[in-house]
Amino acid sequence: MKDQRRDRGSKRSPKDVRATDGMRLLEDLGDFYFSADAYPQALEQYKRALTDLPSEKAFDVSLQVARCHHAKGDYQDALEILAEIEQALGPNMDLPARGKLLAMYGHTYRALGQYTQAKESCEGAIEALRGTGEDREIAGVQLCFGAILHRLGHLDRARRLYEDALSAYRQIDDQTGAAMAFNNLGLVYMNLCRWDRAAEYLIEAREIAEVLGNYSKIAVRTANLGIIRFHQGRWAEAEQCFRKALRVYREIGYSRGIAKVSFELARLERVQRHWNQARSLIEEGLRLAEENGYKREISVGHEFLGEQCCEVDCPDEAESHFSRGLEIAEAIAPQSDHISEICRRWAELAVSNRDPEKALSLGERALATAIRIQDRMEEGLSHRALGSAYGQMGDRERAREHFEKAVDDLRSCEEPLELARTLVAASAFFAAHPAQGTDPKAVNLVREARETFLQLQDSHGVGAASLQLAEILFKMDDLDDCLEVLEKAEELLGRTDDHARLARVAALTENIEERLLTEARSDRNRLALFARWGEDRDRSTAAMLKAAVEIARADRGFVARVDEGGDVDVEAAVGFEKRQAAHLLEELLAREGHSGARLILDMDRNWSDRSGGLRHPIKSYILLPVGADGMVGRWTYVDKVPGGSEGCFRKREVDLLVAFLEMAARDIDTRPVIESDLSSGAVASRCCTLEDVVTENQSLRGILKLVPKISRSNISVLLRGETGTGKQVLAEAIHSASDRCERPFVTVSCAALPEGLLETELFGHLKGAFTGAHRNKRGLIEEADGGTLFLDEIEKASVVVQGKLLRVLDTGELRPVGSTQSRSVDIRVICATSKMDLETEMREGRFLSDLFYRLNDVLLTLPPLRERKGDIPVLAEHFMEKYSGQMSRPIAGMDPKAMAVLEAYDWPGNVRELEKVIKLAVVLADDGEMITADLFPAEVTEGGDEARAFASEGDTLKNMVESVEREQILKALNDCGWNKSEASRVLGITRKGLANKIQRYGLKES
């Protein structure tokens, strides 16, 4: 802007010179105040400068005025200024000016949540600025466009735009722009729940802002860092970040920032059950959002108020806030992260209101949106809501599947608070829907939740989980542990005045007191069995075994005799077939060398690990001789299995069992055994192999044939192909087929890490090597020692990192950052690039030629999906079977019209995009129905010329294609005498693919 201002006419009068110099001074003062975040003062100087500035030279200053309003959060004022500029310059505006104006429109519309107008403005800005040399402006538009796509859930496209912007800013040495790109990349990884990676980007962005003295940007990145710390359970750090950011926002009068941080502080207050403080913060943020027209923040405010109303038991008010929040969010973007969050929270409210049908509708919408926008945490939370809804409806199997997926997703997200809450909800379900092995699962889940709450120092969470654990233990008759846990629950819940749970504590205490007295007088008192044994008329071996299993609280058992010849005769069994019991006893006596009693407390793995060949899952067992001499005589065996009711044997159980057997053995009868129908089930993850690659494409199959040959050597492999074509799958297949398959396969994305971070991640560092290096760290190259290192997007690595990597490949040695000593490593390197012209990068000095030739021992180019259209039906069927199986969704198949739409689309995201589309369609499809084209995203159904033609002209083309295909397949089958293997070779497809087409067209041998 300043360069343009200096371009004045060469002939000016002294008066003109003085006037111009004065205007320059005002502009410079405005720029100074702007860089110091003093926007009101900057506005004053810019407006003074505009007073005497000719209209044709006022563009840059007017644009700065709009930027001031934008920075203050006065977006409507910014739009008015931009409209005035556009009207003043008219249709004769030059391209650079038009590009800058559209870019500012894009930023402002994005801030207002008007994403359609924002996208159109950004696209127009890029088109206008292309070829003008305005690299800084273009990079800024890329950041804005990326942020729009980010909000709409297109994380991969947003990340690529951020990385392109970062590269451009680095080339022009724009630290401010680079910091913005780092910040946005941090937000992408925050969405992916990769908290540490996100924090590294944000800290780097904040450090640049601190060096530049950019007060407002420090606050923005500090607030974002606070969100990460909250999700990591580091709440004290999160509160420090939020309060620091809020202080800055109040000083500079940034109302939108105040609203955002107020909501985050309210979330912290809610965790601590400070309801009044939380509501005050939410209402302050909502008021600011409504006064200034911040649509997204208005929606967030209603969402947060709705969630708080759920927690304080005001369901009607909560429903009103969720309804209003969803209405606003849908007007902004109907497929955004915010939609998923509101629908999921509303679904949880519906569950608490005992309305499972409404909960299912909302939960399924939340899940579909979360999958579409790749929000793993919201996927897990949506599964949790659906699990609760199905549990309420009595559909135990679906509820179990959703809870298991919820727990798996939230474990991978490493979000401790939501994981703990999910564990509690899953535990409550398993406890309320008893089945064999369910109660111990409920106990294990709630114990893990209690430990997680304890690590978070959430005393109310610990108390609530303890109460739930006590209720489950009471149900399992473990009254001693129940009383101990209940005492802790009462203490913690009393501190937080949770009257509802304290009432449950009192009721449970009364039930325990009553049961203790009743059971002491009943047959459930195991000591009473001793007194009753001599009185019972049934003194058979079977009766003794049944009593022994009950006394020891075992899962299974048997009594068997061994004669002098070593033959085993099983007299009685509980939970075993006789042949199984005999085989187990033979193995124990032969392999363990038994000649007396034997107790194994913890045997939580397959017997093959200890005795070679057995496949009986056993947790703990006791084997006792009953009148046996050496190995000959009667033996009693009892055990507990993984997932059984009691875990390992305890001392009291062993004491009681031994005493009982010694007493009972003296007077048992040997009568025919009545076998129990109890049984136990065996408790039943890897790199991709060649079998995992699904294709009928001749080019790709030719590449796959090379894999076994390549795998036998240690030569480097360079994989080239567009994103989503399966480069990592192929790399894993090469590793799996090699002698290194039992060693690590380590993946590194060179584009995902800043230069300094990539270096330390690859090579490691020593403690004190740089600021923040508080401990020694092994690099990923060292982690891959003996195995395979896969470097994805290798072209994004800096020349410095490339040089160090070349040294490792040449010498087999690496030197961690800060070390003077080298370490030997043995690795096989596979690299991947989406640059189809890496040679150009090399010629232009961005990629080392020595490294290129070192990596390029074998070059494999993977064709994009648009060049292997024949794979689309095969892949679509594969993904449909995969996800319908995982989700237990009975899908009737793929509608032919839907398949034609898939075949017509160009698939810029290749196989990865196709997989995502099919997964979403499986989620949205009705049970027992076919997948239809209306379940696909709009960009798929409207994305190709063939698709549009198909939509307008019906399926004439499809029928023609299918007719030709059917005739060719039938001809090949008849020519080969219906030898399907031979016919598949003639047709150039797999045997499975041929079988699918025979079934599809209903072909029969004549």
Side-chain angles (χ1 to χ4, degrees):
M1 185 183 75
K2 290 182 181 180
D3 291 340
Q4 293 175 358
R5 290 206 312 262
R6 303 296 184 259
D7 187 17
R8 310 300 190 198
S10 57
K11 295 182 179 180
R12 295 173 294 168
S13 68
K15 182 177 179 180
D16 290 335
V17 171
R18 288 193 298 272
T20 302
D21 290 343
M23 286 181 288
R24 284 183 185 172
L25 178 60
L26 292 171
E27 291 177 59
D28 289 340
L29 277 171
D31 292 343
F32 172 77
Y33 284 124
F34 186 90
S35 65
D37 303 325
Y39 304 121
Q41 295 90 330
L43 271 173
E44 182 182 351
Q45 301 305 321
Y46 289 140
K47 288 178 178 178
R48 288 177 61 192
L50 283 170
T51 303
D52 298 319
L53 199 63
S55 59
E56 69 274 8
K57 298 180 180 179
F59 174 79
D60 289 319
V61 181
S62 298
L63 204 58
Q64 280 298 94
V65 171
R67 290 186 178 121
C68 281
H69 285 297
H70 182 279
K72 289 176 60 185
D74 300 334
Y75 302 120
Q76 294 299 336
D77 291 342
L79 286 177
E80 290 176 7
I81 297 297
L82 294 174
E84 290 174 6
I85 297 173
E86 189 172 15
Q87 185 176 4
L89 294 182
N92 298 322
M93 192 185 317
D94 61 36
L95 285 177
R98 180 166 185 77
K100 293 176 183 179
L101 182 67
L102 287 171
M104 197 61 216
Y105 268 122
H107 288 294
T108 309
Y109 283 131
R110 180 187 66 80
L112 286 167
Q114 299 176 21
Y115 296 140
T116 301
Q117 298 95 316
K119 284 176 64 177
E120 291 173 356
S121 297
C122 287
E123 289 167 350
I126 291 174
E127 183 65 27
L129 292 170
R130 185 177 290 121
T132 62
E134 295 284 353
D135 294 338
R136 181 177 285 102
E137 284 289 341
I138 293 173
V141 178
Q142 288 174 324
L143 283 182
C144 181
F145 206 167
I148 297 165
L149 295 173
H150 191 162
R151 283 295 185 198
L152 296 174
H154 305 298
L155 297 188
D156 288 338
R157 293 173 63 190
R159 177 181 58 81
R160 289 196 294 271
L161 282 167
Y162 294 156
E163 289 170 351
D164 289 344
L166 177 59
S167 178
Y169 282 130
R170 281 175 163 171
Q171 287 179 2
I172 62 177
D173 195 26
D174 185 336
Q175 291 296 301
T176 301
M180 290 191 291
F182 280 132
N183 177 78
N184 290 10
L185 284 167
L187 298 180
V188 167
Y189 284 101
M190 190 161 67
N191 273 109
L192 296 172
C193 302
R194 296 173 63 178
W195 311 117
D196 289 335
R197 178 68 55 79
E200 288 165 355
Y201 277 120
L202 290 171
I203 289 170
E204 182 143 357
R206 187 174 66 176
E207 287 175 351
I208 294 173
E210 288 170 345
V211 170
L212 297 175
N214 196 324
Y215 206 34
S216 64
K217 299 304 182 184
I218 295 171
V220 170
R221 283 133 205 184
T222 301
N224 288 337
L225 189 60
I227 296 172
I228 292 172
R229 297 310 183 211
F230 175 84
H231 286 301
Q232 290 180 310
R234 295 157 64 172
W235 295 339
E237 294 178 50
E239 183 172 8
Q240 289 176 0
C241 290
F242 292 144
R243 296 207 178 278
K244 181 178 179 180
L246 184 61
R247 186 168 60 250
V248 174
Y249 288 150
R250 291 195 191 281
E251 288 175 4
I252 65 176
Y254 183 33
S255 53
R256 188 179 193 185
I258 296 171
K260 286 183 173 183
V261 176
S262 296
F263 296 148
E264 296 302 332
L265 280 169
R267 179 157 36 187
L268 273 173
E269 297 289 358
R270 289 209 321 268
V271 168
Q272 301 169 73
R273 299 176 65 80
H274 299 158
W275 308 121
N276 293 335
Q277 297 93 318
R279 187 168 188 114
S280 295
L281 285 162
I282 298 171
E283 289 176 343
E284 179 189 5
L286 184 56
R287 175 183 58 78
L288 287 171
E290 289 175 337
E291 288 175 356
N292 292 276
Y294 306 148
K295 292 184 179 180
R296 179 177 172 84
E297 283 66 37
I298 296 172
S299 179
V300 171
H302 283 291
E303 175 196 350
F304 274 44
L305 278 176
E307 190 170 23
Q308 170 145 343
C309 290
C310 291
E311 292 169 334
V312 298
D313 198 23
C314 297
D316 293 339
E317 186 182 352
E319 184 135 0
S320 174
H321 284 299
F322 286 144
S323 176
R324 179 60 179 148
L326 185 59
E327 179 186 353
I328 297 169
E330 286 175 328
I332 298 172
Q335 293 291 339
S336 68
D337 56 341
H338 199 35
I339 296 287
S340 181
E341 292 170 12
I342 298 176
C343 287
R344 186 261 304 168
R345 289 181 167 124
W346 200 349
E348 291 171 340
L349 173 63
V351 169
S352 66
N353 288 339
R354 311 296 297 178
D355 188 353
E357 288 82 6
K358 183 173 185 177
L360 282 180
S361 175
L362 289 163
E364 286 173 351
R365 181 179 179 187
L367 178 59
T369 305
I371 291 172
R372 180 182 179 85
I373 64 176
Q374 305 174 58
D375 191 330
R376 188 68 181 275
M377 187 164 71
E378 275 303 320
E379 276 192 56
L381 296 175
S382 299
H383 280 302
R384 182 179 74 191
L386 288 168
S388 299
Y390 278 118
Q392 218 170 70
M393 297 178 70
D395 191 336
R396 185 182 180 281
E397 189 58 31
R398 284 195 176 181
R400 180 189 61 78
E401 291 172 1
H402 280 292
F403 275 121
E404 289 177 351
K405 289 174 182 175
V407 172
D408 288 345
D409 284 347
L410 289 165
R411 282 196 207 284
S412 69
C413 291
E414 298 181 359
E415 212 285 11
L417 177 61
E418 292 298 350
L419 173 60
R421 290 172 172 173
T422 302
L423 292 168
V424 168
S427 172
F429 163 75
F430 286 113
H433 298 79
Q436 185 177 2
T438 294
D439 282 343
K441 187 166 189 175
V443 170
N444 293 336
L445 289 169
V446 77
R447 284 191 191 278
E448 183 184 350
R450 192 170 66 154
E451 284 300 312
T452 306
F453 282 128
L454 194 60
Q455 292 168 8
L456 290 169
Q457 300 180 352
D458 183 350
S459 58
H460 179 266
V462 176
S466 298
L467 172 58
Q468 185 165 308
L469 175 58
E471 290 171 334
I472 298 170
L473 293 172
F474 176 79
K475 181 181 172 184
M476 297 170 64
D477 292 327
D478 190 347
L479 300 185
D480 290 340
D481 284 352
C482 175
L483 278 169
E484 181 181 345
V485 172
L486 190 61
E487 183 180 354
K488 185 68 173 176
E490 185 173 20
E491 175 193 350
L492 293 172
L493 293 171
R495 298 178 190 170
T496 58
D497 295 326
D498 190 338
H499 301 295
R501 285 188 172 86
L502 286 171
R504 285 165 55 188
V505 170
L508 182 57
T509 303
E510 291 180 8
N511 290 335
I512 293 171
E513 292 166 350
E514 182 181 348
R515 184 174 291 183
L516 281 172
L517 185 59
T518 302
E519 290 191 357
R521 299 171 177 172
S522 73
D523 289 345
R524 299 189 69 176
N525 182 348
R526 287 181 287 173
L527 289 173
L529 289 170
F530 284 83
R532 293 180 58 85
W533 170 254
E535 300 171 4
D536 288 342
R537 299 184 63 183
D538 184 2
R539 301 181 187 177
S540 66
T541 306
M544 182 192 76
L545 176 63
K546 182 179 179 182
V549 169
E550 187 174 348
I551 286 170
R553 291 184 174 171
D555 294 314
R556 311 181 299 183
F558 61 80
V559 177
R561 279 188 176 275
V562 181
D563 63 21
E564 294 181 354
D567 293 332
V568 176
D569 177 26
V570 178
E571 297 177 348
V574 173
F576 283 100
E577 296 179 0
K578 282 189 174 182
R579 184 177 60 181
Q580 182 188 23
H583 178 64
L584 177 57
L585 182 60
E586 289 171 355
E587 290 290 327
L588 289 172
L589 295 177
R591 296 180 181 272
E592 299 285 356
H594 279 300
S595 59
R598 181 74 172 179
L599 166 64
I600 295 292
L601 281 178
D602 191 0
M603 192 64 185
D604 196 7
R605 56 184 182 270
N606 285 346
W607 269 104
S608 58
D609 293 342
R610 287 181 66 122
S611 53
L614 284 174
R615 288 292 185 271
H616 301 290
I618 298 169
K619 175 69 177 176
S620 181
Y621 81 87
I622 303 172
L623 181 63
L624 296 170
V626 184
D629 181 12
M631 293 188 183
V632 178
R634 181 179 283 130
W635 292 84
T636 300
Y637 170 94
V638 293
D639 70 15
K640 299 188 177 189
V641 299
S645 58
E646 292 292 330
C648 300
F649 288 107
R650 302 178 183 179
K651 181 179 184 300
R652 177 175 171 80
E653 294 164 349
V654 177
D655 291 345
L656 287 171
L657 178 65
V658 172
F660 171 74
L661 289 176
E662 288 181 354
M663 178 188 75
R666 292 193 291 267
D667 57 353
I668 63 172
D669 299 326
T670 55
R671 301 183 184 181
V673 61
I674 302 174
E675 295 188 18
S676 168
D677 62 354
L678 296 177
S679 62
S680 63
V683 177
S685 2
R686 71 177 185 83
C687 267
C688 293
T689 65
L690 283 175
E691 288 73 21
D692 295 307
V693 182
V694 178
T695 185
E696 291 184 355
N697 179 265
Q698 292 300 317
S699 175
L700 189 53
R701 290 172 73 177
I703 292 173
L704 298 181
K705 288 180 181 180
L706 296 174
V707 169
K709 300 176 182 179
I710 296 171
S711 301
R712 289 194 290 265
S713 70
N714 284 325
I715 59 176
S716 300
V717 181
L718 180 60
L719 306 177
R720 185 167 62 183
E722 296 177 7
T723 181
T725 51
K727 299 186 290 296
Q728 181 162 346
V729 173
L730 186 58
E732 290 182 6
I734 294 171
H735 173 76
S736 297
S738 73
D739 294 338
R740 299 173 178 264
C741 59
E742 299 298 326
R743 302 295 295 163
F745 179 86
V746 178
T747 300
V748 182
S749 175
C750 300
L753 295 166
E755 177 182 341
L757 187 56
L758 177 61
E759 183 178 356
T760 59
E761 285 292 310
L762 280 174
F763 301 97
H765 61 74
L766 298 187
K767 179 180 179 181
F770 50 83
T771 303
H774 301 303
R775 57 182 177 82
N776 293 344
K777 177 180 179 179
R778 278 164 56 96
L780 293 173
I781 294 176
E782 198 169 351
E783 293 287 349
D785 192 19
T788 303
L789 179 69
F790 176 55
L791 297 172
D792 196 12
E793 297 186 86
I794 183 64
E795 75 279 1
K796 297 295 177 67
S798 70
V799 174
V800 173
V801 173
Q802 292 175 32
K804 291 192 172 186
L805 179 62
L806 178 61
R807 183 180 181 275
V808 174
L809 296 176
D810 285 341
T811 66
E813 295 181 343
L814 68 84
R815 182 178 299 169
V817 176
S819 174
T820 59
Q821 302 294 321
S822 296
R823 303 175 186 177
S824 297
V825 288
D826 172 24
I827 57 170
R828 197 252 182 88
V829 175
I830 302 176
C831 293
T833 178
S834 56
K835 288 276 188 183
M836 306 307 286
D837 57 346
L838 198 57
E839 294 86 346
T840 301
E841 298 288 304
M842 179 178 65
R843 286 194 297 271
E844 295 179 358
R846 291 189 293 270
F847 200 87
L848 295 179
S849 57
D850 289 347
L851 181 61
F852 175 79
Y853 295 118
R854 185 67 176 77
L855 297 174
N856 195 17
D857 289 341
V858 175
L859 174 63
L860 301 178
T861 301
L862 280 68
L865 191 54
R866 62 181 175 274
E867 294 178 7
R868 32 188 282 231
K869 291 282 189 178
D871 276 352
I872 293 175
V874 181
L875 288 165
E877 295 282 348
H878 168 74
F879 293 136
M880 182 177 67
E881 293 176 7
K882 172 183 174 181
Y883 290 113
S884 62
Q886 285 183 5
M887 302 177 191
S888 299
R889 301 294 304 276
I891 303 298
M894 180 79 68
D895 180 71
K897 294 182 180 180
M899 187 65 79
V901 170
L902 296 180
E903 291 173 330
Y905 185 48
D906 278 344
W907 300 106
N910 293 293
V911 179
R912 185 184 295 124
E913 184 183 8
L914 175 61
E915 180 176 10
K916 178 181 170 184
V917 167
I918 298 301
K919 182 179 180 182
L920 177 62
V922 170
V923 170
L924 297 177
D926 293 329
D927 287 352
E929 299 294 330
M930 301 184 80
I931 288 177
T932 54
D934 61 327
L935 302 178
F936 299 151
E939 60 263 28
V940 175
T941 56
E942 302 169 3
D945 294 334
E946 295 89 341
R948 286 188 288 271
F950 172 80
S952 61
E953 299 174 13
D955 58 357
T956 304
L957 177 60
K958 178 183 77 69
N959 287 340
M960 292 172 61
V961 172
E962 288 187 347
S963 176
V964 172
E965 185 180 60
R966 184 182 187 280
E967 291 175 7
Q968 292 301 313
I969 291 173
L970 186 60
K971 181 179 184 303
L973 286 167
N974 289 332
D975 291 345
C976 298
W978 275 77
N979 183 319
K980 297 175 184 176
S981 297
E982 182 63 24
S984 65
R985 281 193 292 271
V986 171
L987 292 166
I989 61 176
T990 63
R991 198 177 190 280
K992 180 180 179 182
L994 177 60
N996 290 337
K997 292 182 183 296
I998 291 173
Q999 181 180 6
R1000 177 179 178 182
Y1001 294 125
L1003 302 179
K1004 295 182 181 179
E1005 187 174 2
S1006 58

